[in-house]
Each structure stands twice: as structure tokens, then as C-alpha cells.
Amino acid sequence: MTKTLTLSLLAAVWVQPLVAASTNRVWTTVDAAKAEDPDFLIQGEYGSEKDKKGAQVVALGSGAFDVYILDGGLPGEGWDKSKGRLKLTGKTDGDRVSFTGEGGSAEIKGGKISVMQGDESFVLARVQRESSTLDKKAPEGAVVLFDGSDVDSWSGGKMDGGFLLHGTTSKETFQSYHLHLEFMTP
């Protein structure tokens, strides 16, 4: 009989530090990344419930970007793989990023992306989504492996600014479990 454990991590776990493609610089806080690399102010998600559209902007370093225009909305809010996506490539030009590609064009300025896709045009605002389980308290009987205060439960565990860095393994092993994991991505 396999015992089911609920494994819960209460603090944010830093799975992968932010890495700037152009400099290989690593940051462990979003604020530090934004202060030193303006690409982090542009990359992210943009959406509109009214238009049922979404966009995911990926920083490639040195002011270069890809954007994926998603019909139906952002993932988890209407888009799925069957609806496809349009990929555009862009570059910073002063206070804006201009994108082009087969099937459309776009421009980011002032926290919004204006998109031309075929005969259709729409504007998407930058969004910051948060998990409904963010900061959720661990259920009774849960094994808490990391709460942001120490790495005692981890082999080779290292912390930076209250975050558990990548490249570690829990000392305790589990056969069957429910996992609550919070992590930060750029």
C-alpha cells in the first residue's frame, strides 16, 4: 500500500534564476533585473478579454524579442494548441518595439501591444497573472520542505534572497504525493 503524502512548499522556489541572454548576467530578484536590463520591462504577457486575444513576449537579449499572438486568449484563459499562434520577431527602436512576420505586425509602446493580423487590428494591455494558490497555507500533515528560511531539507541546497536555487534534491524521498510548488519566472 502506498502512502500518499502532501508535499507543500510555502515560499517561492526559484527554479531558474533570471538570465540575460546578451550578458549571461544572473539576477535573483525581478527588481534587480528590471533595473539592469530594460528588456525585462517589455517581456511578459498581454491580453484582452473583449477581443479574446493574448500575446506572450519573449526577450532574446540586446533589445531583440519574439512575440506569440494567441487566438482565444492567454493559456489557461481560452487559448489552446489547436487554435495555433502567430510568431513575430521584433527589435527595440527608441521607446517602442516593432515586430514583423508572415501574417502580421505589432508594436509595443507604453505597456500595450498594437497588433495587425490580416485584416484585423487589436490592442492588448500588459497583464500580471497570479496563481489562485499563491501563498496558500500548507494543509495539516503536510511535509514542508522549504519555507524560505533554510535549506536543511535539501542536499546541496543553496539560497539567495529567500529563494531556493536550482540544482538541488530533497533529502527525503517520496513514493506518492501531492505537490504545491510556487516559483518565479522572468
Side-chain angles (χ1 to χ4, degrees):
M1 179 165 154
T2 302
K3 182 178 177 184
T4 300
L5 292 173
T6 300
L7 174 64
S8 184
L9 305 176
L10 291 179
V13 175
W14 197 260
V15 175
Q16 175 74 29
L18 303 174
V19 179
S22 60
T23 63
N24 289 326
R25 174 96 170 90
V26 176
W27 299 281
T28 55
T29 68
V30 173
D31 290 338
K34 287 179 180 178
E36 294 183 34
D37 189 338
D39 290 0
F40 286 102
L41 298 171
I42 296 164
Q43 111 172 335
E45 294 185 313
Y46 297 73
S48 168
E49 287 185 29
K50 178 184 119 245
D51 292 313
K52 298 291 184 209
K53 299 284 186 176
Q56 293 181 316
V57 178
V58 179
L60 303 174
S62 301
F65 297 89
D66 283 341
V67 63
Y68 298 91
I69 309 299
L70 309 171
D71 288 328
L74 292 168
E77 296 179 353
W79 180 82
D80 64 53
K81 289 180 182 182
S82 70
K83 295 181 180 175
R85 63 186 185 175
L86 171 66
K87 178 184 176 185
L88 304 173
T89 303
K91 189 87 174 143
T92 301
D93 181 18
D95 64 346
R96 70 190 61 171
V97 180
S98 298
F99 296 89
T100 58
E102 194 172 318
S105 63
E107 178 180 274
I108 295 177
K109 185 174 180 179
K112 295 186 178 186
I113 184 168
S114 302
V115 180
M116 287 290 301
Q117 186 176 7
D119 295 335
E120 187 180 14
S121 67
F122 47 92
V123 176
L124 308 174
R126 188 177 172 97
V127 296
Q128 184 68 38
R129 299 193 288 172
E130 288 188 356
S131 170
S132 61
T133 61
L134 184 65
D135 294 328
K136 184 178 179 180
K137 185 177 179 175
E140 190 170 325
V143 175
V144 178
L145 292 175
F146 184 72
D147 65 3
S149 63
D150 63 58
V151 291
D152 294 345
S153 297
W154 297 89
S155 294
K158 295 178 183 171
M159 280 180 34
D160 188 351
F163 295 108
L164 178 64
L165 298 179
H166 69 288
T168 186
T169 304
S170 65
K171 291 178 183 175
E172 192 171 351
T173 59
F174 303 92
Q175 299 233 348
S176 178
Y177 56 87
H178 295 280
L179 176 67
H180 175 88
L181 173 70
E182 294 180 13
F183 58 95
M184 185 181 290
T185 60

